[in-house]
Amino acid sequence: MSETRKPLLGFVGKLPSGSAFGNSGKTHCPLCMGLFKAPRLLPCLHTVCTTCLEQLEPFSVVDIRGGDSDTSSEGSLFQELKPRSLQPQIGIFCPVCDAQVDLPMGGVKALTIDHLAMNDVMLESLRGEGEGLVCDLCSDREVEKRCQTCKANLCHFCCQAHRRQKKTTYHTMVDLKDLKGYSQIGKPILCPAHPAEELRLFCEFCDRPVCRDCVVGEHREHPYDFTSNVIHKHGDSVRELLKDTQPHVEALEEALAQIKGTNSALQERVEAVAADVRTFSEGYIKAIEEHRDKLLKQLEDIRVQKENALQLQKAQLEQLLADMRTGVEFTEHLLTSGSDLEILITKGVVVERLTKLNKVEYSAHPGVNDKICFSPQEKAGRCRGYEVYGAISTKEVDPTKCVLQGEDLHRAREKQTASFTLLCKDAAGESMGRGGDNVQVAVVPKDKKDSPVRTMVHDNKDGTYYVSYTPKEAGVYTVLVCIKEQHVQGSPFTVTVRKRHRPHPGVFHCCTFCSSGGQKTARCACGGTMPGGYLGCGHGHKGHPGRPHWSCCGKFTERSECTWTGGQSAPRSLLRTVAL
């Protein structure tokens, strides 16, 4: 049975130009616009004629290819898994959605055949009084009857011969016109490895349909069953995946509706602000007209910036929605119209595509807002020698203008809280004067990037944010401060965390005699002594520094780090004194 002789079906999603095929989209190629001939199913679930795909200009890239590939093909079903190696990868772009298609080793003809398309094209040909259908045996005459047993379309002459043969004498013959109400009249799907055998079995180990010869050859000792027995399990898995995909279509449609509403609100707001600017400028004649033109240009720049952002988000969501719809519509059509074997053959491509689409991340909310206001009372400097008023403000934080402040920006101590302040500013470098921004802070050890330090961000509601964190260990840390997923000025930066401040083991006293209660054995790090066998210092006696100090290290500052290292001649226990 030649796959290039008969018109076949392709399933076409929404084209980039916005055109739709309606019912013809299931039977006509999006490139040649004719009935499908040898249709191939692409990984993006679009179907195109084999000859049309071969006419597309391929491109070559270097890719790491192994036993698993993004491109599922019927020809690759029976190839052995090869070790991963660096090989040139040939690919094309889908003519419908412009998705990249990595071709298998056999090229375009190794892509999956769309058997569901072949059935629909044949049905359409039947509804057109058989036009275009030729006999499966002689390939010369028009079809008159169909053998329901052999699933073959026959002309009058071949039908007579079919009845005369002993093996086919009792086959059921049906007039072609009587098949117009049928929804399934496809031919048997033959094994690509054994063309004389029909695919009736399913190898569970290899997850692919096989024939009788396959199970006694390459798939010997593999668990297998009839396709009619396993279709329920595999069909249910595809239905569950379809169920998970359908909500995304509704979410994307809602997101596009919000985009449209925000765009309308933006246009209305721009027009309102422009009207305010024009009204305010009338009283200043030439000077104000010049100032007005500057304001309108600034407003136009804001509009273009916001509108471009909305249009970009809209285009991305529309493309994703088109891909989602293509996947949902194709899968629904496959599950409702495809045979058990057709579902099993196409399952791999469908599951792979729907899984990939479900992993795509998108924002269901507009990326920009319509926050534009005109402040007529705000001073705007001088224009042509006149003091002018009126300024346009979006009051959106600009991460590149934000400032980090604080003594602990680049230094900290282990197990002690360090802090700094973030001052948020707009694009003009002015303080926001309000809070509510999404500030994200991460403190990551340089040698332990998978163990970030817990941070606290306090909104002061005045455009400043108090950030604090407590490093557990000494070392070098990287601090990242972001607003709207963009680094602020000076971020990221490094912080050197030193060891914890050493406390004093002794006492801060005026002298050893007073702090120890007159003990003769008590000593002090200042080195002072007293007559009478006293080993510590005393007021007015030899070695006393004349001011309060620490008994452990001799420092004069009460709030200081102890410098005693344990290397002095006096035992550490003797350096401790008793506070009265």
Side-chain angles (χ1 to χ4, degrees):
M1 153 174 160
S2 174
E3 63 184 35
T4 60
R5 189 179 64 211
K6 287 186 174 295
L8 304 178
L9 164 71
F11 180 81
V12 180
K14 185 178 180 182
L15 290 174
S17 61
S19 63
F21 289 104
N23 292 332
S24 64
K26 300 178 180 180
T27 54
H28 289 71
C29 175
L31 285 183
C32 64
M33 306 301 293
L35 287 175
F36 280 111
K37 295 181 179 180
R40 301 287 173 174
L41 182 62
L42 304 181
C44 57
L45 302 187
H46 290 125
T47 305
V48 185
C49 293
T50 300
T51 54
C52 294
L53 289 175
E54 290 176 339
Q55 294 174 3
L56 296 177
E57 182 177 357
F59 59 89
S60 178
V61 295
V62 177
D63 189 17
I64 301 294
R65 300 194 65 191
D68 52 350
S69 173
D70 291 339
T71 303
S72 176
S73 66
E74 186 171 324
S76 64
L77 288 177
F78 301 92
Q79 295 177 358
E80 294 293 335
L81 299 182
K82 298 181 179 180
R84 300 181 69 88
S85 60
L86 192 63
Q87 299 178 355
Q89 172 69 54
I90 303 300
I92 58 176
F93 289 107
C94 173
V96 179
C97 66
D98 205 32
Q100 178 176 331
V101 178
D102 295 335
L103 294 179
M105 298 302 296
V108 171
K109 292 184 178 179
L111 292 171
T112 302
I113 296 177
D114 194 340
H115 294 282
L116 186 62
M118 297 168 63
N119 180 74
D120 287 346
V121 170
M122 187 174 294
L123 284 174
E124 182 164 316
S125 298
L126 290 176
R127 298 186 183 102
E129 302 298 335
E131 182 180 356
L133 289 179
V134 294
C135 178
D136 288 340
L137 298 183
C138 65
S139 302
D140 292 331
R141 304 176 184 86
E142 290 188 1
V143 175
E144 288 189 5
K145 294 182 180 292
R146 178 179 174 84
C147 177
Q148 295 291 72
T149 307
C150 299
K151 305 294 184 183
N153 299 323
L154 305 175
C155 65
H156 178 74
F157 180 80
C158 293
C159 181
Q160 299 272 338
H162 203 64
R163 291 185 181 278
R164 287 195 296 268
Q165 293 182 11
K166 185 176 182 180
K167 292 184 179 180
T168 58
T169 299
Y170 299 102
H171 284 192
T172 303
M173 307 296 291
V174 181
D175 288 337
L176 209 61
K177 61 182 180 180
D178 295 335
L179 297 175
K180 292 185 178 180
Y182 283 50
S183 62
Q184 274 290 333
I185 59 171
K187 297 181 180 180
I189 301 177
L190 304 179
C191 177
H194 308 96
E197 292 294 331
E198 184 178 351
L199 293 174
R200 296 178 178 274
L201 306 173
F202 187 79
C203 178
E204 294 287 355
F205 181 79
C206 300
D207 195 33
R208 67 184 64 168
V210 294
C211 68
R212 292 185 306 172
D213 291 351
C214 290
V215 297
V216 298
E218 179 184 359
H219 299 267
R220 184 172 54 253
E221 298 182 358
H222 288 188
Y224 66 91
D225 201 347
F226 287 99
T227 56
S228 58
N229 295 337
V230 300
I231 183 60
H232 301 289
K233 178 179 68 174
H234 295 280
D236 290 343
S237 65
V238 176
R239 290 186 183 90
E240 286 298 321
L241 193 57
L242 174 63
K243 184 178 179 181
D244 295 337
T245 307
Q246 288 172 329
H248 292 293
V249 175
E250 299 177 359
L252 287 169
E253 291 174 342
E254 177 64 24
L256 288 172
Q258 294 185 26
I259 290 287
K260 182 178 179 181
T262 301
N263 189 46
S264 299
L266 176 63
Q267 297 294 339
E268 294 175 359
R269 190 58 183 163
V270 168
E271 294 175 1
V273 174
D276 292 342
V277 172
R278 294 188 182 94
T279 301
F280 180 72
S281 65
E282 290 178 355
Y284 284 87
I285 315 301
K286 293 182 180 181
I288 297 302
E289 286 179 351
E290 182 176 330
H291 181 52
R292 177 198 60 191
D293 294 339
K294 293 180 180 179
L295 290 174
L296 291 177
K297 184 179 183 304
Q298 179 186 356
L299 181 62
E300 178 65 14
D301 292 341
I302 295 174
R303 183 190 69 80
V304 170
Q305 180 183 3
K306 289 179 175 287
E307 193 171 51
N308 286 344
L310 287 173
Q311 291 299 328
L312 177 60
Q313 185 180 9
K314 177 184 176 183
Q316 294 172 341
L317 292 179
E318 284 179 339
Q319 181 60 56
L320 182 57
L321 177 59
D323 294 342
M324 289 285 188
R325 281 175 172 168
T326 297
V328 170
E329 292 172 1
F330 181 86
T331 307
E332 289 176 340
H333 180 58
L334 174 66
L335 294 175
T336 56
S337 302
S339 66
D340 296 349
L341 189 55
E342 289 168 348
I343 295 176
L344 293 175
I345 290 178
T346 316
K347 176 181 73 73
V349 182
V350 173
V351 171
E352 180 180 358
R353 180 58 173 170
L354 295 184
T355 302
K356 184 176 181 180
L357 289 175
N358 288 339
K359 292 181 179 180
V360 177
E361 297 182 357
Y362 57 87
S363 174
H365 304 284
V368 297
N369 53 47
D370 60 342
K371 292 182 180 178
I372 307 176
C373 61
F374 175 61
S375 304
Q377 302 301 326
E378 184 175 345
K379 289 184 178 182
R382 303 184 70 84
C383 180
R384 292 179 176 267
Y386 293 91
E387 188 77 18
V388 293
Y389 294 82
I392 295 176
S393 173
T394 58
K395 274 300 178 183
E396 288 192 26
V397 62
D398 186 351
T400 62
K401 301 293 183 179
C402 298
V403 179
L404 298 171
Q405 300 174 340
E407 296 181 357
D408 295 338
L409 268 179
H410 300 287
R411 62 183 183 183
R413 289 187 180 273
E414 64 175 348
K415 299 181 181 179
Q416 293 184 0
T417 300
S419 63
F420 59 87
T421 301
L422 170 64
L423 176 59
C424 290
K425 297 183 179 182
D426 59 13
E430 298 180 358
S431 176
M432 292 297 295
R434 57 161 178 78
D437 294 307
N438 183 19
V439 178
Q440 297 175 328
V441 180
V443 180
V444 183
K446 191 172 183 179
D447 55 347
K448 296 181 180 179
K449 295 184 178 181
D450 57 343
S451 302
V453 179
R454 184 183 178 209
T455 58
M456 299 291 294
V457 180
H458 178 72
D459 189 351
N460 296 325
K461 307 297 184 181
D462 58 357
T464 62
Y465 298 83
Y466 178 78
V467 182
S468 61
Y469 62 96
T470 305
K472 297 181 180 180
E473 300 177 356
V476 179
Y477 289 70
T478 301
V479 181
L480 304 95
V481 183
C482 298
I483 297 179
K484 298 192 298 185
E485 299 183 356
Q486 182 178 349
H487 286 283
V488 302
Q489 184 181 165
S491 173
F493 61 92
T494 59
V495 176
T496 301
V497 178
R498 295 187 296 173
K499 289 189 175 295
R500 188 176 182 182
H501 195 89
R502 288 189 59 193
H504 292 275
V507 311
F508 191 72
H509 61 186
C510 58
C511 70
T512 306
F513 184 83
C514 295
S515 62
S516 67
Q519 295 182 16
K520 288 186 176 183
T521 57
R523 300 186 186 189
C524 181
C526 70
T529 59
M530 292 192 305
Y534 288 90
L535 301 179
C537 62
H539 293 287
H541 291 280
K542 180 181 178 181
H544 188 272
R547 54 191 294 188
H549 55 280
W550 282 99
S551 65
C552 50
C553 62
K555 278 193 173 182
F556 301 133
T557 304
E558 183 174 5
R559 294 183 176 275
S560 62
E561 184 176 6
C562 184
T563 58
W564 178 76
T565 60
Q568 301 180 16
S569 59
R572 183 176 178 180
S573 60
L574 297 181
L575 294 178
R576 294 180 178 272
T577 58
V578 181
L580 295 178

